[in-house]
Amino acid sequence: MQIGFIGLGNMGGPMAANLAAAGHDVAGFDPAGVTADGVTVVASAEDAAKSAEVVITMLPNGDILRSVADQIIPVMAKGAVFLDCSTVDVASARDVAAQAKDAGLSALDAPVSGGIGGAAGGTLTFMVGGDEAGFTTASPLFDIMGQKAVHCGPSGNGQAAKICNNMILGATMIVTCEAFALADKLGLDRQAMFDVVSTSSGYSWSMNAYCPAPGIGPKSPADNDYTPGFAAELMLKDLTLAQQAAETVDADTPLGTAARALYAQFVENEDGMGRDFSAMLPRLAARNRS
Ligand code: NAD
């Protein structure tokens, strides 16, 4: 397939390389001048998009997605698929999809879970919103870049699934860290706490697969001095998107609101920037109740 790939950063670079390694013809563009194995670098987003059957974008935020969409939608071939894999606000995803459909294109919002390791290993999970025809065209590409793609409904629903998932993750990580910090003060050994909770009703992905306590459970960023992994500032981004979405539909999300406020404090006023989001454990363990 002829593929345009715009945004060859930490995630986009390895995703584009995996598509090229699978035999697809990938034309890539990134203004930072970065490249990826097997990808033909072109001079502009328009050059990457104009003869592509599928154009994939992997960009930092909704404003940049909107500006790239303005550039490429006019030059894309009728019937081509605009596949955005960035994490952006639901409103930007829906607006860009409407703009693409008006121009005779298929549009999919397909944010991912799995991080840089999943991008490199081709094991991402895609949460996809958009039309069935686009999903069918893009499915072989999801199979190369990921291990699972779930079609969540119309445009914007992929982003909705992503922010709901990450709101659960953020709040669950915080309370898992709170529980370890409380256990410390109660004289409960961290290993004993893990052995109980990981096989009891408090279990979760945060505890069982990504344990925030060093030396406990499977290997995780906690075992590497909280080097990300999934950086606290990216969790803050996703929790902020969840709060924006909750405001637009008047949804009550008290724990999502509290989780966003705590990660904002950690990233903006403390030492959370650049640390894994599970570094909430040493932060809480070092504090008192007040
Ligand atoms: P990144 O900053 O490494 O990459 C983004 C790339 O977009 C950069 O290389 C940048 O130069 C490029 N870019 C910026 N403006 C552009 C423009 N106008 N035209 C073309 N390219 C432009 O970020 P990343 O970690 O690769 O994340 C990309 C997206 O994936 C984000 O939306 C992020 O929230 C999401 N995401 C990241 C992770 C992760 O662990 N890094 C996990 C899941 C989802």
PDB file of all heavy atoms in Angstrom, residues 6-13 29-34 45 58-61 64 67-68 71 85-88 111-116 162 229-231 234 237-238, ligand 1:
ATOM      1  N   ILE A   6       2.852  11.202   8.750  1.00  0.00           N
ATOM      2  CA  ILE A   6       3.200  12.566   9.158  1.00  0.00           C
ATOM      3  C   ILE A   6       3.326  12.624  10.677  1.00  0.00           C
ATOM      4  O   ILE A   6       2.364  12.348  11.403  1.00  0.00           O
ATOM      5  CB  ILE A   6       2.125  13.554   8.644  1.00  0.00           C
ATOM      6  CG1 ILE A   6       2.073  13.486   7.115  1.00  0.00           C
ATOM      7  CG2 ILE A   6       2.437  14.976   9.115  1.00  0.00           C
ATOM      8  CD1 ILE A   6       0.886  14.189   6.506  1.00  0.00           C
ATOM      9  N   GLY A   7       4.544  12.949  11.131  1.00  0.00           N
ATOM     10  CA  GLY A   7       4.852  12.942  12.567  1.00  0.00           C
ATOM     11  C   GLY A   7       5.646  11.695  12.906  1.00  0.00           C
ATOM     12  O   GLY A   7       5.080  10.660  13.285  1.00  0.00           O
ATOM     13  N   LEU A   8       6.988  11.791  12.749  1.00  0.00           N
ATOM     14  CA  LEU A   8       7.858  10.618  12.937  1.00  0.00           C
ATOM     15  C   LEU A   8       8.596  10.712  14.275  1.00  0.00           C
ATOM     16  O   LEU A   8       9.803  10.511  14.343  1.00  0.00           O
ATOM     17  CB  LEU A   8       8.853  10.513  11.774  1.00  0.00           C
ATOM     18  CG  LEU A   8       8.236  10.390  10.375  1.00  0.00           C
ATOM     19  CD1 LEU A   8       9.309  10.557   9.296  1.00  0.00           C
ATOM     20  CD2 LEU A   8       7.526   9.047  10.203  1.00  0.00           C
ATOM     21  N   GLY A   9       7.857  11.020  15.340  1.00  0.00           N
ATOM     22  CA  GLY A   9       8.465  11.182  16.663  1.00  0.00           C
ATOM     23  C   GLY A   9       8.664   9.855  17.369  1.00  0.00           C
ATOM     24  O   GLY A   9       8.835   8.803  16.735  1.00  0.00           O
ATOM     25  N   ASN A  10       8.606   9.889  18.698  1.00  0.00           N
ATOM     26  CA  ASN A  10       8.862   8.687  19.507  1.00  0.00           C
ATOM     27  C   ASN A  10       7.932   7.536  19.145  1.00  0.00           C
ATOM     28  O   ASN A  10       8.332   6.370  19.174  1.00  0.00           O
ATOM     29  CB  ASN A  10       8.677   9.012  20.992  1.00  0.00           C
ATOM     30  CG  ASN A  10       9.771   9.906  21.503  1.00  0.00           C
ATOM     31  OD1 ASN A  10      10.928   9.772  21.101  1.00  0.00           O
ATOM     32  ND2 ASN A  10       9.419  10.840  22.370  1.00  0.00           N
ATOM     33  N   MET A  11       6.684   7.855  18.848  1.00  0.00           N
ATOM     34  CA  MET A  11       5.696   6.832  18.496  1.00  0.00           C
ATOM     35  C   MET A  11       5.636   6.621  16.986  1.00  0.00           C
ATOM     36  O   MET A  11       5.660   5.492  16.495  1.00  0.00           O
ATOM     37  CB  MET A  11       4.304   7.249  19.003  1.00  0.00           C
ATOM     38  CG  MET A  11       4.175   7.353  20.508  1.00  0.00           C
ATOM     39  SD  MET A  11       4.288   5.767  21.352  1.00  0.00           S
ATOM     40  CE  MET A  11       2.755   5.003  20.862  1.00  0.00           C
ATOM     41  N   GLY A  12       5.506   7.742  16.232  1.00  0.00           N
ATOM     42  CA  GLY A  12       5.313   7.652  14.783  1.00  0.00           C
ATOM     43  C   GLY A  12       6.496   7.009  14.074  1.00  0.00           C
ATOM     44  O   GLY A  12       6.304   6.232  13.124  1.00  0.00           O
ATOM     45  N   GLY A  13       7.715   7.312  14.533  1.00  0.00           N
ATOM     46  CA  GLY A  13       8.913   6.766  13.877  1.00  0.00           C
ATOM     47  C   GLY A  13       8.891   5.240  13.823  1.00  0.00           C
ATOM     48  O   GLY A  13       8.915   4.647  12.727  1.00  0.00           O
ATOM     49  N   PHE A  29       6.988  12.470   6.694  1.00  0.00           N
ATOM     50  CA  PHE A  29       7.375  13.880   6.885  1.00  0.00           C
ATOM     51  C   PHE A  29       7.311  14.235   8.360  1.00  0.00           C
ATOM     52  O   PHE A  29       6.355  13.863   9.064  1.00  0.00           O
ATOM     53  CB  PHE A  29       6.450  14.828   6.103  1.00  0.00           C
ATOM     54  CG  PHE A  29       6.714  16.272   6.445  1.00  0.00           C
ATOM     55  CD1 PHE A  29       7.880  16.899   6.018  1.00  0.00           C
ATOM     56  CD2 PHE A  29       5.831  16.988   7.248  1.00  0.00           C
ATOM     57  CE1 PHE A  29       8.162  18.226   6.367  1.00  0.00           C
ATOM     58  CE2 PHE A  29       6.103  18.317   7.597  1.00  0.00           C
ATOM     59  CZ  PHE A  29       7.267  18.933   7.155  1.00  0.00           C
ATOM     60  N   ASP A  30       8.344  14.977   8.798  1.00  0.00           N
ATOM     61  CA  ASP A  30       8.339  15.542  10.155  1.00  0.00           C
ATOM     62  C   ASP A  30       9.188  16.812  10.102  1.00  0.00           C
ATOM     63  O   ASP A  30      10.328  16.773   9.643  1.00  0.00           O
ATOM     64  CB  ASP A  30       8.931  14.536  11.157  1.00  0.00           C
ATOM     65  CG  ASP A  30       8.719  14.965  12.597  1.00  0.00           C
ATOM     66  OD1 ASP A  30       9.190  16.076  12.963  1.00  0.00           O
ATOM     67  OD2 ASP A  30       8.091  14.213  13.369  1.00  0.00           O
ATOM     68  N   PRO A  31       8.655  17.944  10.580  1.00  0.00           N
ATOM     69  CA  PRO A  31       9.410  19.195  10.473  1.00  0.00           C
ATOM     70  C   PRO A  31      10.685  19.200  11.315  1.00  0.00           C
ATOM     71  O   PRO A  31      11.574  20.021  11.093  1.00  0.00           O
ATOM     72  CB  PRO A  31       8.424  20.262  10.967  1.00  0.00           C
ATOM     73  CG  PRO A  31       7.404  19.528  11.759  1.00  0.00           C
ATOM     74  CD  PRO A  31       7.338  18.146  11.202  1.00  0.00           C
ATOM     75  N   ALA A  32      10.789  18.265  12.282  1.00  0.00           N
ATOM     76  CA  ALA A  32      12.002  18.189  13.105  1.00  0.00           C
ATOM     77  C   ALA A  32      13.154  17.519  12.355  1.00  0.00           C
ATOM     78  O   ALA A  32      14.260  17.422  12.882  1.00  0.00           O
ATOM     79  CB  ALA A  32      11.704  17.439  14.395  1.00  0.00           C
ATOM     80  N   GLY A  33      12.865  17.029  11.134  1.00  0.00           N
ATOM     81  CA  GLY A  33      13.921  16.432  10.325  1.00  0.00           C
ATOM     82  C   GLY A  33      14.279  15.014  10.733  1.00  0.00           C
ATOM     83  O   GLY A  33      15.263  14.458  10.251  1.00  0.00           O
ATOM     84  N   VAL A  34      13.457  14.412  11.615  1.00  0.00           N
ATOM     85  CA  VAL A  34      13.743  13.031  12.023  1.00  0.00           C
ATOM     86  C   VAL A  34      13.270  12.068  10.933  1.00  0.00           C
ATOM     87  O   VAL A  34      12.451  12.435  10.096  1.00  0.00           O
ATOM     88  CB  VAL A  34      13.053  12.678  13.367  1.00  0.00           C
ATOM     89  CG1 VAL A  34      13.765  13.339  14.512  1.00  0.00           C
ATOM     90  CG2 VAL A  34      11.581  13.061  13.358  1.00  0.00           C
ATOM     91  N   ALA A  45       4.246  17.892   4.342  1.00  0.00           N
ATOM     92  CA  ALA A  45       3.104  17.031   4.659  1.00  0.00           C
ATOM     93  C   ALA A  45       2.289  16.756   3.393  1.00  0.00           C
ATOM     94  O   ALA A  45       1.823  15.631   3.167  1.00  0.00           O
ATOM     95  CB  ALA A  45       2.240  17.706   5.721  1.00  0.00           C
ATOM     96  N   MET A  58       0.615  11.209  13.440  1.00  0.00           N
ATOM     97  CA  MET A  58       0.962  10.882  14.835  1.00  0.00           C
ATOM     98  C   MET A  58       1.582  12.127  15.438  1.00  0.00           C
ATOM     99  O   MET A  58       2.797  12.310  15.435  1.00  0.00           O
ATOM    100  CB  MET A  58       1.916   9.679  14.867  1.00  0.00           C
ATOM    101  CG  MET A  58       2.044   9.050  16.241  1.00  0.00           C
ATOM    102  SD  MET A  58       0.421   8.660  16.938  1.00  0.00           S
ATOM    103  CE  MET A  58       0.819   7.632  18.316  1.00  0.00           C
ATOM    104  N   LEU A  59       0.706  13.023  15.947  1.00  0.00           N
ATOM    105  CA  LEU A  59       1.076  14.407  16.250  1.00  0.00           C
ATOM    106  C   LEU A  59       0.839  14.735  17.723  1.00  0.00           C
ATOM    107  O   LEU A  59       0.094  14.034  18.408  1.00  0.00           O
ATOM    108  CB  LEU A  59       0.245  15.341  15.362  1.00  0.00           C
ATOM    109  CG  LEU A  59       0.453  15.123  13.856  1.00  0.00           C
ATOM    110  CD1 LEU A  59      -0.650  15.787  13.051  1.00  0.00           C
ATOM    111  CD2 LEU A  59       1.825  15.629  13.438  1.00  0.00           C
ATOM    112  N   PRO A  60       1.421  15.852  18.205  1.00  0.00           N
ATOM    113  CA  PRO A  60       1.349  16.143  19.642  1.00  0.00           C
ATOM    114  C   PRO A  60      -0.034  16.502  20.176  1.00  0.00           C
ATOM    115  O   PRO A  60      -0.351  16.160  21.309  1.00  0.00           O
ATOM    116  CB  PRO A  60       2.306  17.335  19.813  1.00  0.00           C
ATOM    117  CG  PRO A  60       3.224  17.275  18.639  1.00  0.00           C
ATOM    118  CD  PRO A  60       2.406  16.703  17.519  1.00  0.00           C
ATOM    119  N   ASN A  61      -0.852  17.230  19.413  1.00  0.00           N
ATOM    120  CA  ASN A  61      -2.130  17.694  19.994  1.00  0.00           C
ATOM    121  C   ASN A  61      -3.147  18.069  18.914  1.00  0.00           C
ATOM    122  O   ASN A  61      -2.840  18.028  17.713  1.00  0.00           O
ATOM    123  CB  ASN A  61      -1.881  18.882  20.939  1.00  0.00           C
ATOM    124  CG  ASN A  61      -1.241  20.058  20.223  1.00  0.00           C
ATOM    125  OD1 ASN A  61      -1.707  20.470  19.159  1.00  0.00           O
ATOM    126  ND2 ASN A  61      -0.179  20.596  20.792  1.00  0.00           N
ATOM    127  N   ILE A  64      -2.376  21.067  16.357  1.00  0.00           N
ATOM    128  CA  ILE A  64      -1.448  20.681  15.283  1.00  0.00           C
ATOM    129  C   ILE A  64      -2.160  19.739  14.305  1.00  0.00           C
ATOM    130  O   ILE A  64      -2.000  19.873  13.081  1.00  0.00           O
ATOM    131  CB  ILE A  64      -0.156  20.063  15.871  1.00  0.00           C
ATOM    132  CG1 ILE A  64       0.619  21.146  16.643  1.00  0.00           C
ATOM    133  CG2 ILE A  64       0.717  19.455  14.777  1.00  0.00           C
ATOM    134  CD1 ILE A  64       1.866  20.682  17.359  1.00  0.00           C
ATOM    135  N   SER A  67      -4.176  21.865  11.961  1.00  0.00           N
ATOM    136  CA  SER A  67      -3.405  22.596  10.944  1.00  0.00           C
ATOM    137  C   SER A  67      -2.872  21.631   9.881  1.00  0.00           C
ATOM    138  O   SER A  67      -2.857  21.961   8.696  1.00  0.00           O
ATOM    139  CB  SER A  67      -2.312  23.455  11.587  1.00  0.00           C
ATOM    140  OG  SER A  67      -1.185  22.695  11.869  1.00  0.00           O
ATOM    141  N   VAL A  68      -2.451  20.428  10.298  1.00  0.00           N
ATOM    142  CA  VAL A  68      -1.995  19.446   9.305  1.00  0.00           C
ATOM    143  C   VAL A  68      -3.173  19.015   8.422  1.00  0.00           C
ATOM    144  O   VAL A  68      -3.034  18.859   7.202  1.00  0.00           O
ATOM    145  CB  VAL A  68      -1.321  18.238  10.003  1.00  0.00           C
ATOM    146  CG1 VAL A  68      -1.085  17.090   9.027  1.00  0.00           C
ATOM    147  CG2 VAL A  68       0.002  18.661  10.643  1.00  0.00           C
ATOM    148  N   GLN A  71      -3.746  21.356   5.688  1.00  0.00           N
ATOM    149  CA  GLN A  71      -2.732  21.234   4.634  1.00  0.00           C
ATOM    150  C   GLN A  71      -3.005  20.047   3.715  1.00  0.00           C
ATOM    151  O   GLN A  71      -2.866  20.160   2.501  1.00  0.00           O
ATOM    152  CB  GLN A  71      -1.351  20.994   5.264  1.00  0.00           C
ATOM    153  CG  GLN A  71      -0.648  22.187   5.842  1.00  0.00           C
ATOM    154  CD  GLN A  71       0.659  21.712   6.488  1.00  0.00           C
ATOM    155  OE1 GLN A  71       0.685  21.327   7.651  1.00  0.00           O
ATOM    156  NE2 GLN A  71       1.730  21.719   5.727  1.00  0.00           N
ATOM    157  N   CYS A  85      -3.656   8.784  14.488  1.00  0.00           N
ATOM    158  CA  CYS A  85      -3.355   7.935  15.654  1.00  0.00           C
ATOM    159  C   CYS A  85      -2.922   8.749  16.871  1.00  0.00           C
ATOM    160  O   CYS A  85      -2.600   8.187  17.916  1.00  0.00           O
ATOM    161  CB  CYS A  85      -2.263   6.921  15.296  1.00  0.00           C
ATOM    162  SG  CYS A  85      -2.793   5.747  14.043  1.00  0.00           S
ATOM    163  N   SER A  86      -2.896  10.081  16.755  1.00  0.00           N
ATOM    164  CA  SER A  86      -2.523  10.952  17.877  1.00  0.00           C
ATOM    165  C   SER A  86      -3.571  10.855  18.986  1.00  0.00           C
ATOM    166  O   SER A  86      -4.709  10.450  18.733  1.00  0.00           O
ATOM    167  CB  SER A  86      -2.473  12.420  17.436  1.00  0.00           C
ATOM    168  OG  SER A  86      -2.075  12.577  16.103  1.00  0.00           O
ATOM    169  N   THR A  87      -3.193  11.270  20.193  1.00  0.00           N
ATOM    170  CA  THR A  87      -4.182  11.462  21.256  1.00  0.00           C
ATOM    171  C   THR A  87      -4.555  12.935  21.253  1.00  0.00           C
ATOM    172  O   THR A  87      -3.701  13.789  21.528  1.00  0.00           O
ATOM    173  CB  THR A  87      -3.597  11.078  22.620  1.00  0.00           C
ATOM    174  OG1 THR A  87      -3.156   9.723  22.565  1.00  0.00           O
ATOM    175  CG2 THR A  87      -4.648  11.211  23.717  1.00  0.00           C
ATOM    176  N   VAL A  88      -5.812  13.237  20.909  1.00  0.00           N
ATOM    177  CA  VAL A  88      -6.275  14.631  20.852  1.00  0.00           C
ATOM    178  C   VAL A  88      -7.656  14.722  21.485  1.00  0.00           C
ATOM    179  O   VAL A  88      -8.277  13.701  21.818  1.00  0.00           O
ATOM    180  CB  VAL A  88      -6.330  15.161  19.398  1.00  0.00           C
ATOM    181  CG1 VAL A  88      -4.967  15.040  18.714  1.00  0.00           C
ATOM    182  CG2 VAL A  88      -7.400  14.458  18.582  1.00  0.00           C
ATOM    183  N   PRO A 111      -6.454   6.499  18.368  1.00  0.00           N
ATOM    184  CA  PRO A 111      -5.384   6.642  19.356  1.00  0.00           C
ATOM    185  C   PRO A 111      -4.950   5.270  19.860  1.00  0.00           C
ATOM    186  O   PRO A 111      -5.685   4.283  19.700  1.00  0.00           O
ATOM    187  CB  PRO A 111      -6.041   7.465  20.457  1.00  0.00           C
ATOM    188  CG  PRO A 111      -7.495   7.200  20.333  1.00  0.00           C
ATOM    189  CD  PRO A 111      -7.745   6.995  18.860  1.00  0.00           C
ATOM    190  N   VAL A 112      -3.767   5.241  20.462  1.00  0.00           N
ATOM    191  CA  VAL A 112      -3.173   3.955  20.819  1.00  0.00           C
ATOM    192  C   VAL A 112      -2.893   3.852  22.306  1.00  0.00           C
ATOM    193  O   VAL A 112      -2.735   4.851  23.001  1.00  0.00           O
ATOM    194  CB  VAL A 112      -1.848   3.726  20.050  1.00  0.00           C
ATOM    195  CG1 VAL A 112      -2.093   3.784  18.555  1.00  0.00           C
ATOM    196  CG2 VAL A 112      -0.778   4.728  20.464  1.00  0.00           C
ATOM    197  N   SER A 113      -2.805   2.628  22.750  1.00  0.00           N
ATOM    198  CA  SER A 113      -2.305   2.303  24.078  1.00  0.00           C
ATOM    199  C   SER A 113      -1.119   1.375  23.863  1.00  0.00           C
ATOM    200  O   SER A 113      -1.122   0.577  22.921  1.00  0.00           O
ATOM    201  CB  SER A 113      -3.417   1.611  24.870  1.00  0.00           C
ATOM    202  OG  SER A 113      -2.935   1.152  26.092  1.00  0.00           O
ATOM    203  N   GLY A 114      -0.098   1.491  24.709  1.00  0.00           N
ATOM    204  CA  GLY A 114       1.037   0.577  24.574  1.00  0.00           C
ATOM    205  C   GLY A 114       2.382   1.283  24.593  1.00  0.00           C
ATOM    206  O   GLY A 114       3.416   0.655  24.784  1.00  0.00           O
ATOM    207  N   GLY A 115       2.384   2.603  24.374  1.00  0.00           N
ATOM    208  CA  GLY A 115       3.600   3.389  24.544  1.00  0.00           C
ATOM    209  C   GLY A 115       4.680   3.090  23.513  1.00  0.00           C
ATOM    210  O   GLY A 115       4.436   2.439  22.494  1.00  0.00           O
ATOM    211  N   ILE A 116       5.876   3.589  23.823  1.00  0.00           N
ATOM    212  CA  ILE A 116       6.982   3.521  22.867  1.00  0.00           C
ATOM    213  C   ILE A 116       7.387   2.058  22.624  1.00  0.00           C
ATOM    214  O   ILE A 116       7.699   1.674  21.501  1.00  0.00           O
ATOM    215  CB  ILE A 116       8.173   4.363  23.387  1.00  0.00           C
ATOM    216  CG1 ILE A 116       7.746   5.847  23.466  1.00  0.00           C
ATOM    217  CG2 ILE A 116       9.395   4.229  22.500  1.00  0.00           C
ATOM    218  CD1 ILE A 116       8.687   6.727  24.257  1.00  0.00           C
ATOM    219  N   LYS A 162     -10.103   6.180  24.577  1.00  0.00           N
ATOM    220  CA  LYS A 162      -8.740   6.394  25.097  1.00  0.00           C
ATOM    221  C   LYS A 162      -8.753   7.210  26.400  1.00  0.00           C
ATOM    222  O   LYS A 162      -8.099   6.849  27.379  1.00  0.00           O
ATOM    223  CB  LYS A 162      -7.920   7.118  24.027  1.00  0.00           C
ATOM    224  CG  LYS A 162      -6.624   7.728  24.488  1.00  0.00           C
ATOM    225  CD  LYS A 162      -5.450   6.810  24.353  1.00  0.00           C
ATOM    226  CE  LYS A 162      -4.215   7.412  25.010  1.00  0.00           C
ATOM    227  NZ  LYS A 162      -3.059   6.575  24.922  1.00  0.00           N
ATOM    228  N   GLY A 229       9.024   4.360  30.303  1.00  0.00           N
ATOM    229  CA  GLY A 229       7.658   4.190  30.621  1.00  0.00           C
ATOM    230  C   GLY A 229       6.655   5.198  30.033  1.00  0.00           C
ATOM    231  O   GLY A 229       6.727   5.615  28.902  1.00  0.00           O
ATOM    232  N   PHE A 230       5.753   5.524  30.823  1.00  0.00           N
ATOM    233  CA  PHE A 230       4.698   6.467  30.468  1.00  0.00           C
ATOM    234  C   PHE A 230       4.903   7.677  31.392  1.00  0.00           C
ATOM    235  O   PHE A 230       4.682   7.588  32.601  1.00  0.00           O
ATOM    236  CB  PHE A 230       3.333   5.814  30.658  1.00  0.00           C
ATOM    237  CG  PHE A 230       2.184   6.661  30.181  1.00  0.00           C
ATOM    238  CD1 PHE A 230       2.200   7.265  28.933  1.00  0.00           C
ATOM    239  CD2 PHE A 230       1.063   6.855  30.980  1.00  0.00           C
ATOM    240  CE1 PHE A 230       1.145   8.049  28.478  1.00  0.00           C
ATOM    241  CE2 PHE A 230      -0.006   7.630  30.543  1.00  0.00           C
ATOM    242  CZ  PHE A 230       0.043   8.226  29.286  1.00  0.00           C
ATOM    243  N   ALA A 231       5.353   8.785  30.780  1.00  0.00           N
ATOM    244  CA  ALA A 231       5.756   9.944  31.575  1.00  0.00           C
ATOM    245  C   ALA A 231       4.552  10.589  32.251  1.00  0.00           C
ATOM    246  O   ALA A 231       3.441  10.615  31.697  1.00  0.00           O
ATOM    247  CB  ALA A 231       6.467  10.951  30.686  1.00  0.00           C
ATOM    248  N   LEU A 234       2.572  12.994  30.206  1.00  0.00           N
ATOM    249  CA  LEU A 234       1.633  12.430  29.222  1.00  0.00           C
ATOM    250  C   LEU A 234       0.341  11.990  29.916  1.00  0.00           C
ATOM    251  O   LEU A 234      -0.757  12.136  29.363  1.00  0.00           O
ATOM    252  CB  LEU A 234       2.273  11.249  28.479  1.00  0.00           C
ATOM    253  CG  LEU A 234       3.370  11.632  27.477  1.00  0.00           C
ATOM    254  CD1 LEU A 234       3.978  10.383  26.839  1.00  0.00           C
ATOM    255  CD2 LEU A 234       2.835  12.555  26.391  1.00  0.00           C
ATOM    256  N   LYS A 237      -1.574  15.100  30.330  1.00  0.00           N
ATOM    257  CA  LYS A 237      -2.237  15.474  29.065  1.00  0.00           C
ATOM    258  C   LYS A 237      -3.562  14.718  28.915  1.00  0.00           C
ATOM    259  O   LYS A 237      -4.598  15.309  28.633  1.00  0.00           O
ATOM    260  CB  LYS A 237      -1.308  15.148  27.880  1.00  0.00           C
ATOM    261  CG  LYS A 237      -1.999  15.313  26.527  1.00  0.00           C
ATOM    262  CD  LYS A 237      -1.173  14.785  25.360  1.00  0.00           C
ATOM    263  CE  LYS A 237      -2.026  14.806  24.092  1.00  0.00           C
ATOM    264  NZ  LYS A 237      -1.314  14.379  22.893  1.00  0.00           N
ATOM    265  N   ASP A 238      -3.517  13.403  29.129  1.00  0.00           N
ATOM    266  CA  ASP A 238      -4.721  12.584  28.902  1.00  0.00           C
ATOM    267  C   ASP A 238      -5.806  12.892  29.945  1.00  0.00           C
ATOM    268  O   ASP A 238      -6.997  12.935  29.619  1.00  0.00           O
ATOM    269  CB  ASP A 238      -4.359  11.094  28.922  1.00  0.00           C
ATOM    270  CG  ASP A 238      -3.479  10.716  27.733  1.00  0.00           C
ATOM    271  OD1 ASP A 238      -3.255  11.580  26.858  1.00  0.00           O
ATOM    272  OD2 ASP A 238      -3.013   9.562  27.681  1.00  0.00           O
TER     273      ASP A 238
HETATM  274  P1  NAD B   1       6.660  13.245  19.823  1.00  0.00           P
HETATM  275  O1  NAD B   1       6.694  14.656  20.297  1.00  0.00           O
HETATM  276  O2  NAD B   1       7.855  12.368  20.019  1.00  0.00           O
HETATM  277  O3  NAD B   1       6.298  13.204  18.256  1.00  0.00           O
HETATM  278  C1  NAD B   1       5.424  14.109  17.631  1.00  0.00           C
HETATM  279  C2  NAD B   1       6.081  14.498  16.312  1.00  0.00           C
HETATM  280  O4  NAD B   1       5.193  15.374  15.600  1.00  0.00           O
HETATM  281  C3  NAD B   1       7.396  15.266  16.514  1.00  0.00           C
HETATM  282  O5  NAD B   1       8.471  14.562  15.894  1.00  0.00           O
HETATM  283  C4  NAD B   1       7.122  16.619  15.868  1.00  0.00           C
HETATM  284  O6  NAD B   1       8.273  17.172  15.192  1.00  0.00           O
HETATM  285  C5  NAD B   1       6.000  16.278  14.890  1.00  0.00           C
HETATM  286  N1  NAD B   1       5.246  17.469  14.499  1.00  0.00           N
HETATM  287  C6  NAD B   1       4.968  18.568  15.247  1.00  0.00           C
HETATM  288  N2  NAD B   1       4.288  19.463  14.494  1.00  0.00           N
HETATM  289  C7  NAD B   1       4.134  18.901  13.263  1.00  0.00           C
HETATM  290  C8  NAD B   1       3.522  19.336  12.063  1.00  0.00           C
HETATM  291  N3  NAD B   1       2.912  20.534  11.973  1.00  0.00           N
HETATM  292  N4  NAD B   1       3.579  18.514  10.974  1.00  0.00           N
HETATM  293  C9  NAD B   1       4.164  17.313  11.059  1.00  0.00           C
HETATM  294  N5  NAD B   1       4.773  16.827  12.178  1.00  0.00           N
HETATM  295  C10 NAD B   1       4.749  17.634  13.263  1.00  0.00           C
HETATM  296  O7  NAD B   1       5.379  12.587  20.521  1.00  0.00           O
HETATM  297  P2  NAD B   1       5.027  11.016  20.647  1.00  0.00           P
HETATM  298  O8  NAD B   1       5.469  10.504  21.977  1.00  0.00           O
HETATM  299  O9  NAD B   1       5.452  10.318  19.389  1.00  0.00           O
HETATM  300  O10 NAD B   1       3.426  11.100  20.738  1.00  0.00           O
HETATM  301  C11 NAD B   1       2.630  11.302  19.587  1.00  0.00           C
HETATM  302  C12 NAD B   1       1.181  11.162  19.981  1.00  0.00           C
HETATM  303  O11 NAD B   1       0.954   9.866  20.517  1.00  0.00           O
HETATM  304  C13 NAD B   1       0.714  12.159  21.045  1.00  0.00           C
HETATM  305  O12 NAD B   1      -0.582  12.606  20.717  1.00  0.00           O
HETATM  306  C14 NAD B   1       0.744  11.355  22.319  1.00  0.00           C
HETATM  307  O13 NAD B   1      -0.182  11.825  23.289  1.00  0.00           O
HETATM  308  C15 NAD B   1       0.352   9.985  21.803  1.00  0.00           C
HETATM  309  N6  NAD B   1       0.821   8.866  22.627  1.00  0.00           N
HETATM  310  C16 NAD B   1       2.093   8.839  23.103  1.00  0.00           C
HETATM  311  C17 NAD B   1       2.508   7.761  23.882  1.00  0.00           C
HETATM  312  C18 NAD B   1       3.921   7.694  24.410  1.00  0.00           C
HETATM  313  O14 NAD B   1       4.179   6.841  25.293  1.00  0.00           O
HETATM  314  N7  NAD B   1       4.844   8.508  23.922  1.00  0.00           N
HETATM  315  C19 NAD B   1       1.605   6.727  24.186  1.00  0.00           C
HETATM  316  C20 NAD B   1       0.315   6.761  23.653  1.00  0.00           C
HETATM  317  C21 NAD B   1      -0.058   7.848  22.873  1.00  0.00           C
END
